[in-house]
Amino acid sequence: MQHFNQAEIRQIEDRYQDFLKVIKSKFDEERLARIEKAFRFANAAHDGIKRRSGEPYIIHPIAVARIVAKDLGLGATSICASILHDVVEDTEYSVSDIENMFGPRVARIVDGLTKLSGDFDSRQVLTLKKILMTLSDDVRVILIKIADRLHNMQTLDSMPVNKKIKIAGETLYLYVPLAHRLGLYAIKSELEELSFKHKHPEEYKKTLYMLHNQEEKRNYLVNEFIRPIQEKLETEQIDSIVSHRLKSTWSIWQKMQKKGVTFNEIYDILAVRIVIKAKPGISEKRQCFDVLSLVTDIYKPRPDRIRDWITMPKANGYESLHVTVMGPQGKWVEVQIRTERMDEVAEHGFAAHYRYKDISTFENELETWMERIREHLRSPDSDAFEFLDDFKLNLYATEINLFTPKGDMVSLPQGSTVIDFAYDIHTDLGNKCIGAKINFRLVPINHPLENGDQIEILTSEKQIPKMEWLKFATTAKSRSKIKDAFKLEKKKHLDKGREIVEEAMKAAKAPITSNNLKKLIAHFNLNNKEQLYSEAGMGFLKLNNIDEILGKKSPNKLVKYWNITFNRKKKEEPALQEEEVLSNPKRLDKGKPFLLKEAQDEITYSLAKCCNPIPGDQVIGYLSTDDHIIIHKTGCREVEKFLSSHGNKIITAEWTRFKKQSYLTRLRLEGFDRMGIVNEVTNVISKQHSINMRSVKFDTHEGIFNGDMFLYIHNAEDLHSLISRLEKIKGIDLVTRDENLND
Ligand code: MN
């Protein structure tokens, strides 16, 4: 093995001393000695090994330990584990070596981190499941894992392009929601920014440029806005710091993509924050509300935009008071008011609670969340990706608080429905649920719940769980309970169906042979025995002429054919023009973007049906075979899955100039109905923008207007200009592109 040279040894020592400077004041001699020991050991273990950037490998664990200490505020055990986190994975040493030298606590964390290393293919998802199960007593594994990922993202530059895209995609798919759930806002936005930068470099640069471009104008607005507030705070002798924040480039871009708006149309780019040094003896909440009234004395608040996260903190511990007020130059500005303690929690999330020794209040919240995760993990459902999706659903969710008729509080993710509430209380209540009474009003089973609702579940003995409940069951718990119940129900039908079929055959004096069963299966156009039994069990099959059926030598082919066409309704393939051929005879070079052209050969591509991209959209290619590529929109959920499991098959793709060919695109409209609105909408589309419509559907319900339109669009630019024109129509509130072309 090649040892490091003098220069490299000096570089390592420098980095380590820098790191020590950051943490030294926080730890006693004994802890510093443990950290020193971990460093010396890891340094020797990684001797001679380099990162792709050419730096000695040990620089990476030191950097991770620094994030863990500084940004997460974790203690000596976590710091040691961070320094040692790649030793078992990358060197000869085992977990028991670590345990002998550093004790069981450090060893257990390193073990967890080792199991989580590498890429997230589906096996890794199972490992993640395992880790989450044992996580209840050690969130530190996930926290260090996030720090590890953050440093990898910070040093992504030396990776090849396709690796960058894969890692950035995985970060957005998994680590960002995790960081969000743990309340690590600063890290979350850094991860988002870095992912954005590497996944969409051009867009990132453009957004950053636009943000800088307006700096001067914005600074002027900020100063003009803040000055009166600061003066008032001073006269009232409230010790506080007023600062301002910009929306991140990532969230600006996300909003532009989602709503099809331009940079200038985003009004909440700016937020002002007032952090109060709380006076002892007066409640922090009171002090925040005092400042709120001081601000609203100066600026008019938007009545529907006051958010009180102090009375009811978010599930991840976030506390703050938000108000949107009308600032100078007629611009809405969000003002966030909080104390220093709340600010610390907001920036560092979960870890801050450790620092403030305020663990008990938070542990309850975390425990509820972990319980939900564990519940989910217990379910036998083995589809790893489905698990991840449901899991992510719960990671992002904001909690709402609901009450039982007796006044007990139940917390569920925002967007939960009646059925979720029922299953959360008891499985039987869910299985028999037919609806609910909320604040004395009868509501259906799919009714979305709102914060503060008091809910009485209504049941019926006749009710059985239905597969379509999955359309509106949102919590992991209710979803898995419904699936379980359905499996049970299916088993019942199967058993009953087997009896029915066998009885009928006996009655017809036909032997129960596999040959006879095959004849039945063929007669009813089914696929297998299981289907035969379950259909019979549900009473779908007529078995009274079974002797006739079995007597036939072979079933009438023609009849069978027609049955098939009627029974198995195939999804209509949208008549899209695809399968274009590449003119470039060169084989694919993964390091360069694949160019989408109109005439091509050798390497063909098609447009994915899940997200239906059109020229000009940000796209990415999935290499399905050596000479065929499927083009997805970059934000497409399907592609996010591929990034985590088949990252090596992802290639970058770019549109070249396209002729005037058009693509079926779906737009949805929402707004308040008024006379003539339909006319105006169709006018804008066909006359002003000369766009052909395939179908247009308008609906009005209680004054709310809904439109669903299928249009032939040339490219993304045309689409965006149409959207912003439609949004200007009086009464139209929201125009969105729907990537799903199936009804
Ligand atoms: Mn690492």
Side-chain angles (χ1 to χ4, degrees):
M1 185 187 65
Q2 181 92 35
H3 293 286
F4 286 135
N5 62 33
Q6 280 308 314
E8 284 160 336
I9 291 172
R10 214 172 309 124
Q11 188 190 3
I12 293 170
E13 207 55 42
D14 283 353
R15 287 296 177 97
Y16 179 62
Q17 293 305 329
D18 273 356
F19 161 69
L20 275 187
K21 262 184 228 150
V22 173
I23 63 160
K24 221 162 195 168
S25 61
K26 290 194 210 154
F27 297 104
D28 57 24
E29 289 296 314
E30 187 269 329
R31 287 186 172 83
L32 286 173
R34 265 199 285 153
I35 292 167
E36 177 83 21
K37 184 176 160 195
F39 167 67
R40 295 294 159 210
F41 177 71
N43 193 22
H46 292 297
D47 186 25
I49 302 165
K50 287 181 184 176
R51 300 192 86 200
R52 184 182 269 271
S53 63
E55 281 183 328
Y57 193 86
I58 187 72
I59 302 276
H60 164 64
I62 295 174
V64 174
R66 188 189 172 109
I67 295 168
V68 162
K70 201 167 159 247
D71 299 333
L72 296 172
L74 297 181
T77 302
S78 304
I79 292 176
C80 290
S82 311
I83 295 174
L84 298 165
H85 84 267
D86 280 328
V87 165
V88 175
E89 169 79 7
D90 295 341
T91 75
E92 304 279 282
Y93 294 98
S94 69
V95 174
S96 53
D97 294 330
I98 303 276
E99 182 164 354
N100 289 335
M101 295 181 70
F102 301 97
R105 285 188 308 159
V106 172
R108 213 175 49 217
I109 298 174
V110 173
D111 189 31
L113 288 162
T114 307
K115 284 184 182 140
L116 274 178
S117 63
D119 297 341
F120 275 98
D121 57 19
S122 60
R123 227 170 349 112
Q124 289 291 335
V125 176
L126 290 177
T127 318
L128 176 71
K129 248 177 144 174
K130 239 191 321 187
I131 294 287
L132 285 171
M133 256 192 268
T134 51
L135 186 72
S136 47
D137 54 1
D138 228 329
V139 192
R140 288 176 293 188
V141 174
I142 290 295
L143 290 173
I144 297 170
K145 186 71 198 163
I146 291 172
D148 181 25
R149 175 53 59 120
L150 178 59
H151 186 245
N152 285 334
M153 288 297 296
Q154 287 166 343
T155 51
L156 206 56
D157 280 323
S158 46
M159 287 285 177
V161 173
N162 56 334
K163 259 270 163 101
K164 274 186 195 172
I165 291 176
K166 175 184 152 52
I167 295 172
E170 195 182 272
T171 302
L172 284 174
Y173 188 69
L174 194 65
Y175 290 89
V176 165
L178 265 173
H180 172 85
R181 197 59 181 88
L182 294 167
L184 311 170
Y185 289 112
I187 290 184
K188 178 199 167 207
S189 40
E190 190 175 349
L191 286 174
E192 278 173 345
E193 292 293 293
L194 289 166
S195 305
F196 184 29
K197 179 180 152 192
H198 290 291
K199 219 174 144 194
H200 310 284
E202 287 304 312
E203 300 296 313
Y204 172 75
K205 266 184 243 155
K206 243 188 262 167
T207 316
L208 204 60
Y209 172 76
M210 289 187 284
L211 208 51
H212 283 316
N213 211 18
Q214 293 199 343
E215 212 169 334
E216 216 170 300
K217 216 164 93 194
R218 205 167 37 228
N219 283 340
Y220 179 73
L221 174 72
V222 169
N223 291 331
E224 206 182 339
F225 180 80
I226 289 181
R227 207 189 322 113
I229 297 180
Q230 247 160 353
E231 284 166 8
K232 203 72 184 278
L233 285 166
E234 259 166 53
T235 44
E236 299 286 325
Q237 294 184 318
I238 297 170
D239 195 358
S240 57
I241 293 169
V242 183
S243 60
H244 71 279
R245 302 222 134 191
L246 293 182
K247 211 183 183 69
S248 70
T249 55
W250 166 252
S251 43
I252 290 172
W253 186 67
Q254 281 267 297
K255 194 156 193 174
M256 286 167 65
Q257 292 287 106
K258 241 182 246 159
K259 302 193 87 182
V261 294
T262 64
F263 183 82
N264 290 325
E265 289 168 274
I266 299 177
Y267 64 87
D268 55 350
I269 284 179
L270 185 71
V272 167
R273 184 175 297 164
I274 305 172
V275 178
I276 312 167
K277 199 172 177 101
K279 292 183 185 128
I282 311 168
S283 87
E284 292 187 25
K285 179 176 166 180
R286 188 44 216 287
Q287 299 184 53
C288 290
F289 272 89
D290 283 347
V291 171
L292 172 72
S293 90
L294 182 152
V295 170
T296 53
D297 279 349
I298 306 171
Y299 300 113
K300 231 187 167 63
R302 224 172 106 161
D304 55 329
R305 292 292 292 183
I306 295 181
R307 297 242 178 92
D308 174 10
W309 302 112
I310 299 179
T311 312
M312 284 226 190
K314 287 190 189 179
N316 55 21
Y318 183 82
E319 289 174 79
S320 193
L321 201 55
H322 293 190
V323 59
T324 302
V325 298
M326 178 59 82
Q329 302 167 18
K331 290 239 191 290
W332 291 111
V333 179
E334 187 180 87
V335 181
Q336 305 172 348
I337 302 163
R338 51 174 86 145
T339 62
E340 280 179 326
R341 180 192 57 82
M342 296 173 186
D343 193 51
E344 180 76 16
V345 172
E347 293 294 304
H348 301 301
F350 181 77
H353 289 279
Y354 270 111
R355 261 189 262 187
Y356 275 87
K357 309 270 177 267
D358 171 25
I359 302 170
S360 59
T361 46
F362 191 65
E363 262 179 1
N364 289 335
E365 306 263 12
L366 188 73
E367 191 46 41
T368 323
W369 178 59
M370 288 309 307
E371 185 44 47
R372 201 169 295 139
I373 302 284
R374 261 177 256 135
E375 186 82 38
H376 193 186
L377 293 164
R378 261 179 238 133
S379 88
D381 220 312
S382 60
D383 184 332
F385 281 112
E386 197 177 322
F387 160 77
L388 246 192
D389 279 349
D390 282 356
F391 176 64
K392 270 166 53 97
L393 213 68
N394 282 346
L395 283 177
Y396 266 125
T398 313
E399 307 268 303
I400 50 175
N401 295 319
L402 308 157
F403 299 91
T404 67
K406 284 182 191 155
D408 294 330
M409 199 173 89
V410 174
S411 297
L412 287 179
Q414 196 165 48
S416 293
T417 55
V418 167
I419 193 70
D420 295 317
F421 183 81
Y423 274 110
D424 198 77
I425 297 198
H426 198 278
T427 308
D428 281 344
L429 209 56
N431 287 341
K432 301 278 173 219
C433 179
I434 50 167
K437 240 185 197 172
I438 297 181
N439 315 326
F440 307 109
R441 258 183 59 229
L442 278 180
V443 297
I445 193 165
N446 61 353
H447 183 81
L449 303 175
E450 276 169 41
N451 206 7
D453 277 348
Q454 184 163 40
I455 301 141
E456 183 189 346
I457 294 294
L458 304 172
T459 59
S460 157
E461 272 315 304
K462 288 198 187 115
Q463 181 68 297
I464 50 160
K466 301 199 171 61
M467 215 55 182
E468 70 240 32
W469 290 2
L470 291 173
K471 284 186 200 148
F472 47 82
T474 64
T475 62
K477 183 171 178 177
S478 68
R479 294 182 68 82
S480 76
K481 294 279 181 205
I482 292 165
K483 286 177 201 160
D484 286 353
F486 207 75
K487 272 178 215 151
L488 262 180
E489 207 53 41
K490 199 170 147 196
K491 173 111 189 5
K492 258 192 246 164
H493 287 314
L494 266 171
D495 292 344
K496 194 169 146 208
R498 183 193 305 268
E499 256 172 58
I500 292 173
V501 171
E502 288 179 357
E503 288 286 301
M505 288 172 86
K506 260 182 223 159
K509 301 214 163 51
I512 304 167
T513 59
S514 68
N515 206 22
N516 275 342
L517 285 174
K518 267 184 204 150
K519 280 186 193 167
L520 286 179
I521 292 165
H523 175 81
F524 293 111
N525 294 314
L526 301 170
N527 295 324
N528 51 40
K529 219 160 62 180
E530 194 183 49
Q531 223 180 2
L532 174 72
Y533 291 151
S534 85
E535 302 248 323
M538 289 188 281
F540 291 163
L541 305 182
K542 259 194 194 163
L543 292 164
N544 50 5
N545 58 340
I546 205 161
D547 42 351
E548 261 175 61
I549 300 168
L550 295 177
K552 277 182 207 159
K553 287 277 177 291
S554 76
N556 185 324
K557 280 268 157 50
L558 189 66
V559 170
K560 200 177 149 196
Y561 173 76
W562 281 105
N563 275 344
I564 290 174
T565 27
F566 284 125
N567 287 344
R568 313 242 187 285
K569 211 167 144 196
K570 272 209 186 121
K571 263 195 198 145
E572 218 180 292
E573 307 257 318
L576 273 180
Q577 43 295 299
E578 298 167 1
E579 308 284 333
E580 321 216 5
V581 195
L582 182 76
S583 64
N584 187 351
K586 261 196 313 190
R587 297 303 298 180
L588 195 61
D589 175 359
K590 279 201 210 167
K592 284 192 193 135
F594 174 66
L595 295 180
L596 303 166
K597 296 176 188 169
E598 288 199 290
Q600 316 209 333
D601 58 43
E602 198 157 342
I603 301 174
T604 60
Y605 69 89
S606 55
L607 304 176
K609 298 248 167 48
C610 45
C611 53
N612 295 293
I614 61 176
D617 281 337
Q618 288 286 314
V619 288
I620 205 166
Y622 176 75
L623 203 55
S624 73
T625 61
D626 265 356
D627 44 19
H628 192 80
I629 294 167
I630 299 167
I631 300 298
H632 288 264
K633 284 187 72 177
T634 43
C636 176
R637 271 168 57 93
E638 292 302 310
V639 134
E640 298 296 314
K641 284 183 194 173
F642 293 142
L643 282 175
S644 320
S645 56
H646 301 93
N648 52 336
K649 295 199 161 188
I650 299 290
I651 55 160
T652 44
E654 269 168 24
W655 302 94
T656 55
R657 204 171 265 287
F658 266 67
K659 269 199 323 227
K660 292 274 169 192
Q661 188 169 35
S662 53
Y663 297 81
L664 195 59
T665 306
R666 185 182 203 168
L667 281 188
R668 290 186 185 270
L669 304 179
E670 230 179 272
F672 296 102
D673 193 27
R674 64 170 174 84
M675 281 274 279
I677 194 166
V678 172
N679 226 337
E680 200 171 327
V681 167
T682 49
N683 236 327
V684 165
I685 296 170
S686 59
K687 299 233 172 78
Q688 295 184 18
H689 286 253
S690 321
I691 285 168
N692 289 328
M693 301 182 263
R694 188 182 84 174
S695 74
V696 173
K697 209 172 82 197
F698 293 110
D699 254 336
T700 305
H701 183 66
E702 290 176 351
I704 303 293
F705 161 92
N706 273 299
D708 183 4
M709 314 185 292
F710 287 86
L711 311 172
Y712 289 104
I713 303 272
H714 295 307
N715 55 48
E717 202 179 320
D718 285 5
L719 180 65
H720 290 150
S721 82
L722 175 66
I723 290 178
S724 58
R725 176 64 189 89
L726 287 172
E727 275 185 333
K728 290 200 179 87
I729 293 176
K730 201 176 129 228
I732 298 286
D733 190 39
L734 193 66
V735 183
T736 44
R737 171 172 172 191
D738 190 340
E739 291 170 353
N740 181 6
L741 297 182
N742 301 320
D743 279 301

